[in-house]
Amino acid sequence: MKRQQKAQQTRQKIVAAAYDVFLQNGFQKTTITQIIKQANIGYGTAYVYFQNKDEIFIDIMEDVMQKFYAIAELPFAPKTKGEAVRLIHHQVRLFLELAVQEKALLQVMKEAIGASSIAAKTWKQIRERFIARIAEDVAYSQKNGLAKRHLQPKLVARGWFYANEMYMWELTEPSVPFSLEEAARHLTEMYTNGVYS
């Protein structure tokens, strides 16, 4: 048991060190050597847990996305269109607020997705998980007579996630030509007026 606990602590130490190094240097300029030095461990020790910096970054990426998933998993069981609009606006706002809070890491994620095939593949999997969850909410709304029944839940979910994703990435930019509240309001209105009866 102690060995497993020590292994877990060492792994967490590497990830914590990597987080700091990635934020400081960005994805492409970060090296495994810098991470090892920051973690104050030996080279061999690092490679027991991760093959390269990409794998370490995936750990960090998945960890931050868990916070976004928690928002997607908020209960969604509206009885009226008005209630659906309020719930959706609340989720969009929380999602975008979290994007602003995690701005520095999201900037590194964006860089990693463009530079690392492993990060790009992981982002695609993350995206598909969100889309599947959104499709459930659309299907629920259709089943309960709130959303237009002729729309395909998975296609609606894909478009909805892409719109939110675009705003998420834009909010990580140094200068944003709109407020978070404006983005949340417009996204909610476009989506609910297009999908809900």
Side-chain angles (χ1 to χ4, degrees), residues 119-139:
K121 181 181 175 187
T122 301
W123 180 250
K124 187 174 181 180
Q125 292 166 345
I126 288 167
R127 181 186 284 148
E128 292 303 319
R129 182 176 168 191
F130 275 107
I131 290 167
R133 180 64 183 92
I134 295 164
E136 289 175 18
D137 288 347
V138 174

Side-chain angles (χ1 to χ4, degrees), residues 83-155:
E83 187 181 357
V85 170
R86 283 189 300 281
L87 290 170
I88 290 165
H89 182 265
H90 179 68
Q91 279 185 310
V92 171
R93 187 166 178 65
L94 290 175
F95 185 87
L96 297 178
E97 285 173 350
L98 184 56
V100 170
Q101 288 169 15
E102 296 290 348
K103 182 178 185 170
L105 185 61
L106 288 175
Q107 288 172 335
V108 180
M109 275 178 56
K110 189 175 183 181
E111 178 190 358
I113 291 165
S116 163
S117 61
I118 297 168
K121 181 181 175 187
T122 301
W123 180 250
K124 187 174 181 180
Q125 292 166 345
I126 288 167
R127 181 186 284 148
E128 292 303 319
R129 182 176 168 191
F130 275 107
I131 290 167
R133 180 64 183 92
I134 295 164
E136 289 175 18
D137 288 347
V138 174
Y140 167 88
S141 294
Q142 288 174 320
K143 181 181 172 191
N144 288 282
L146 300 174
K148 297 171 185 171
R149 292 182 188 266
H150 69 280
L151 297 174
Q152 295 179 39
K154 287 184 181 176
L155 289 178

Side-chain angles (χ1 to χ4, degrees), residues 49-108:
Y49 300 95
F50 301 99
Q51 290 182 0
N52 52 40
K53 74 175 185 179
D54 298 55
E55 283 189 6
I56 302 170
F57 190 75
I58 296 310
D59 222 59
I60 294 167
M61 190 171 157
E62 288 176 342
D63 187 54
V64 76
M65 291 317 295
Q66 283 300 105
K67 297 175 187 177
F68 286 93
Y69 288 140
I71 294 168
E73 294 292 335
L74 287 173
F76 186 80
K79 302 292 182 230
T80 66
K81 179 181 176 182
E83 187 181 357
V85 170
R86 283 189 300 281
L87 290 170
I88 290 165
H89 182 265
H90 179 68
Q91 279 185 310
V92 171
R93 187 166 178 65
L94 290 175
F95 185 87
L96 297 178
E97 285 173 350
L98 184 56
V100 170
Q101 288 169 15
E102 296 290 348
K103 182 178 185 170
L105 185 61
L106 288 175
Q107 288 172 335
V108 180

Side-chain angles (χ1 to χ4, degrees), residues 175-191:
S175 125
V176 182
F178 52 84
S179 73
L180 186 147
E181 183 51 44
E182 287 173 318
R185 186 170 40 82
H186 280 78
L187 274 168
T188 302
E189 194 168 321
M190 287 186 306
Y191 176 68

